[in-house]
């Protein structure tokens, strides 16, 4: 088992529940600690796009690679656009976007049936969803912001696991990592209406909050996974809010739009 490394006693990552008992699986979500980026990206920033020194971001990747034992040239980086495209990747994509050239277009979700391929997606409040079929040896990792949640990206990932890898939903374990929880995720009428028209069941998970609404993204995602046939008992939620814990995690809203970027990293060992 991998354990978070200690940098002034603060971990570089948290382990994802439901996956962390599997010996051959690394399923983590990074904190903002243990890196070298300066404020407001302090310190473990992984964004290759923000106004942040690239050399610092690469040093952060190097440190994470060293502590997890996962080489950078095994990592496959998403290119996120708040859409619902989910892509299948394999060993040929290793290093993509980091040590190697990008050969895939925009994608908010990655799936692999290959061991030793480390899926990487990026976050600053959006929801990381980890999917694992132990029987078929398939993992999926989805970046589900509110737009992608409305587009049902997690359900689309499960459908792809079924159609491409013959996964059975009853064998799939799902886990939801740290993100902006219902305590802090406020939306306006326009977004509320979009949720309810595209995903009618979401009405139960969006509550009035003064003039606005508060939405439970993990509840909505869990329901869409249950509708795909995943057993409720096999859906885990870490229940940690990136805004409430903005000293531990990067948070777009917690940092008033100025924040670094965390990653989710998911891999089956060789
Ligand atoms: Zn919160």
């Amino acid at each position: 088992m991998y354990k978070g490394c200690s940098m002034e006693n603060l971990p570089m990552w948290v382990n994802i529940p439901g996956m962390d008992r599997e010996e051959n699986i690394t399923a983590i979500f990074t904190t903002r600690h243990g890196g070298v980026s300066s404020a407001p990206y302090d310190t473990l920033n992984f964004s290759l796009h923000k106004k942040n020194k690239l050399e610092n971001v690469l040093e952060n990747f190097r440190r994470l690679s060293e502590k997890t034992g996962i080489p950078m040239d095994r990592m496959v980086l998403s290119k996120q656009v708040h859409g619902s495209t989910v892509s299948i990747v394999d060993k040929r994509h290793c290093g993509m976007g980091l040590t190697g050239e990008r050969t895939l277009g925009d994608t908010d979700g990655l799936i692999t049936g290959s061991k030793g391929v480390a899926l990487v997606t990026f976050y600053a409040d959006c929801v990381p969803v980890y999917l694992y079929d132990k029987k078929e040896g398939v993992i999926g990792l989805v970046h589900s912001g509110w737009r992608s949640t409305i587009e049902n990206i997690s359900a689309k990932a499960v459908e792809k696991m079924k159609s491409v890898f013959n996964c059975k939903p009853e064998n799939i374990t799902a886990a939801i990592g740290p993100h902006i929880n219902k305590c802090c995720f406020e939306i306006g009428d326009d977004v509320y209406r979009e949720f309810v028209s595209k995903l009618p069941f979401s009405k139960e998970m969006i509550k009035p909050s003064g003039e606005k609404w508060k939405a439970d993204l993990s509840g909505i995602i869990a329901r869409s996974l249950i509708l795909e046939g995943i057993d409720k008992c096999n859906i885990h939620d870490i229940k940690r809010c990136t805004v409430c814990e903005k000293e531990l995690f990067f948070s777009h809203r917690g940092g008033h739009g100025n924040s670094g970027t965390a990653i989710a990293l998911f891999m089956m060992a060789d």
Side-chain angles (χ1 to χ4, degrees), residues 181 183-184 241 243-244:
N181 283 16
C183 41
C184 294
C241 175
V243 181
C244 291

